[in-house]
Amino acid sequence: PVYLNTFNGIRNVDARLVEAAKGFGLKRFGLVREVILPGALPQALLGLRYALGISWLALVIAEQINSNSGIGYLLTTAQNNLDTAGVIASIVTYAALGVITDALVRVLESRLLVWRRGYNGARRTPDSPTKPATTDRRMDMTSRQPSSPSPCAA
């Protein structure tokens, strides 16, 4: 997932940005460092998140198949001994490890993607709107009221 997403991110860098950077005199190394890598970084980090999720799944399967230690071994032992609390504790431990890993990658994203307009990472800033402002006359689905005044209203 990391390679494929990174490759896709590199391929989808806006050609106009590359052309503009070349127009400003950036050479190949500068182009890669200043335009291509920052443009591909969101996709690469997405691939990292997918890969970490898949790796946790593979670890669970590998530990349950043939091991003498680990959380998967404890899970299998608890299952064989009909120990419901042990099974639930093992599953909750795996879930907590997955959530912690995902949170670490989100923190990494929030540090590396500060340059993106509109990206505020895993946290919300107090001045960010809770829902996007609409400029057309569509209905606001929460209040069932028109989002802007009607030209017919007097």
Side-chain angles (χ1 to χ4, degrees), residues 5-6 9-10 13 35-48 108-109 111-116:
N5 278 311
T6 304
I10 290 171
V13 170
V35 177
I36 295 174
L37 283 181
L41 192 58
Q43 289 285 38
L45 290 172
L46 177 67
L48 179 64
L108 185 65
E109 284 178 348
R111 306 257 188 225
L112 293 176
L113 300 179
V114 293
W115 54 269
R116 286 185 74 186

Side-chain angles (χ1 to χ4, degrees), residues 115-151:
W115 54 269
R116 286 185 74 186
R117 184 177 7 158
Y119 182 80
N120 53 359
R123 58 191 137 79
R124 219 175 223 304
T125 58
D127 59 336
S128 64
T130 55
K131 59 182 175 180
T134 57
T135 56
D136 58 353
R137 300 188 192 287
R138 284 188 262 161
M139 296 291 283
D140 182 11
M141 298 309 284
T142 56
S143 65
R144 300 282 185 216
Q145 297 294 323
S147 59
S148 61
S150 172

Side-chain angles (χ1 to χ4, degrees), residues 18-138:
V18 174
E19 205 172 302
K22 286 179 182 178
F24 281 116
L26 278 178
K27 302 292 182 213
R28 187 177 182 100
F29 178 73
L31 186 67
V32 168
R33 188 177 50 130
E34 299 293 331
V35 177
I36 295 174
L37 283 181
L41 192 58
Q43 289 285 38
L45 290 172
L46 177 67
L48 179 64
R49 287 177 67 190
Y50 282 150
L52 288 172
I54 292 169
S55 67
W56 278 116
L57 184 62
L59 178 70
V60 169
I61 292 169
E63 282 186 346
Q64 285 184 337
I65 289 175
N66 188 17
S67 71
N68 298 350
S69 62
I71 303 169
Y73 176 74
L74 293 175
L75 178 65
T76 305
T77 304
Q79 180 184 1
N80 290 339
N81 294 332
L82 301 176
D83 179 18
T84 308
V87 170
I88 292 174
S90 300
I91 292 171
V92 167
T93 303
Y94 274 130
L97 288 171
V99 167
I100 289 169
T101 304
D102 190 59
L104 288 174
V105 176
R106 283 184 178 262
V107 167
L108 185 65
E109 284 178 348
S110 68
R111 306 257 188 225
L112 293 176
L113 300 179
V114 293
W115 54 269
R116 286 185 74 186
R117 184 177 7 158
Y119 182 80
N120 53 359
R123 58 191 137 79
R124 219 175 223 304
T125 58
D127 59 336
S128 64
T130 55
K131 59 182 175 180
T134 57
T135 56
D136 58 353
R137 300 188 192 287
R138 284 188 262 161

